[in-house]
Amino acid sequence: MRVQDTPEEWQVVATATPFKGNKTSVRTDDVVMPDGSVHRRDYQVHPGSVAVLALDEEDRVVVLRQYRHPVRQKLWEIPAGLLDVPGENPLHAAQRELYEEAHVKAEDWRVLTDVYTTPGGCDEAVRIFLARGLAEAEGERFEVSEEEADMELARVPVGELVRGVLAGELHNNCLVVGVLSLAAARAAAGGLDTLRPADAPWPARPFEV
């Protein structure tokens, strides 16, 4: 038996958008259930995101510490950002985020994993890349603002991040999924060579290569 998610779309008999924000909105759908009843579902509509687990030659991950107001915490995270343009190539977006947030470039890119962050209440899809062959980016650093103005950067050994995740000390979704996916990929037959190429199809957010 192959365990695999599959596309499916239940009938929507009415829809509305009661809130539109700068980057996301809230949608209300009246959905027909398998028994024929109709129930209302509210969810956040999100453009999608990319994240980068950037791994250096000393087996350290580039991480940043940033204030996140909804949870009232400063979280350690990996570089990440929104897919601001519909149909944007996720690799290009990931390279941009790594440059802007860490002033780093990478030679080797692979898809580490694809996830839906909170599929019960939001349609956000995230593609997490593994980036290796790191080097300092050319040119001036990207000028940060708002929460990013207080951002801290560090490089932390993979083992320490795995320990922190399992100890309940690290909570950012992309960091947790990325670090544990890296550990799982390394342990699998074939190791990191079995990871998908950076331009692998992404049905959740189709793009042009």
Side-chain angles (χ1 to χ4, degrees):
M1 176 182 174
R2 181 166 181 161
V3 180
Q4 183 176 359
D5 297 335
T6 55
E8 185 166 344
E9 188 166 351
W10 293 0
Q11 182 184 4
V12 175
V13 295
T15 188
T17 305
F19 170 79
K20 288 186 178 181
N22 185 32
K23 296 292 185 181
T24 67
S25 60
V26 173
R27 182 175 296 161
T28 297
D29 289 342
D30 291 341
V31 186
V32 180
M33 300 291 132
D35 63 0
S37 62
V38 176
H39 293 273
R40 182 157 293 175
R41 295 291 178 262
D42 302 313
Y43 59 99
Q44 182 184 16
V45 178
H46 193 285
S49 307
V50 291
V52 186
L53 195 148
L55 188 66
D56 70 13
E57 67 281 356
E58 297 179 37
D59 207 41
R60 300 176 303 174
V61 177
V62 175
V63 292
L64 51 95
R65 189 167 179 247
Q66 187 171 346
Y67 176 66
R68 294 301 187 183
H69 187 70
V71 295
R72 307 303 199 272
Q73 290 194 32
K74 272 193 170 182
L75 301 181
W76 285 103
E77 307 178 353
I78 56 178
L82 298 176
L83 291 168
D84 294 311
V85 181
E88 182 178 17
N89 187 304
L91 175 59
H92 298 166
Q95 291 169 333
R96 179 186 69 236
E97 294 299 331
L98 186 60
Y99 163 74
E100 291 182 356
E101 295 192 347
H103 201 66
V104 167
K105 63 181 181 179
E107 291 184 0
D108 183 76
W109 290 81
R110 300 288 184 97
V111 174
L112 192 52
T113 191
D114 300 323
V115 295
Y116 291 114
T117 55
T118 49
C122 179
D123 70 352
E124 180 184 14
V126 181
R127 169 157 282 188
I128 304 176
F129 290 90
L130 173 66
R132 293 175 291 176
L134 306 187
E136 193 79 3
E138 295 92 357
E140 295 182 2
R141 286 186 171 272
F142 183 78
E143 187 175 346
V144 296
S145 61
E146 300 176 7
E147 289 93 344
E148 293 182 351
D150 190 43
M151 196 165 60
E152 305 170 45
L153 284 170
R155 296 195 180 196
V156 180
V158 172
E160 174 59 19
L161 292 176
V162 171
R163 186 208 63 77
V165 168
L166 298 179
E169 299 169 357
L170 300 170
H171 307 90
N172 174 263
N173 182 285
C174 291
L175 185 147
V176 171
V177 173
V179 166
L180 296 186
S181 293
L182 174 66
R186 282 177 162 174
L192 300 182
D193 289 338
T194 64
L195 293 175
R196 289 170 291 161
D199 61 353
W202 189 17
R205 293 295 184 271
F207 62 93
E208 294 184 8
V209 178

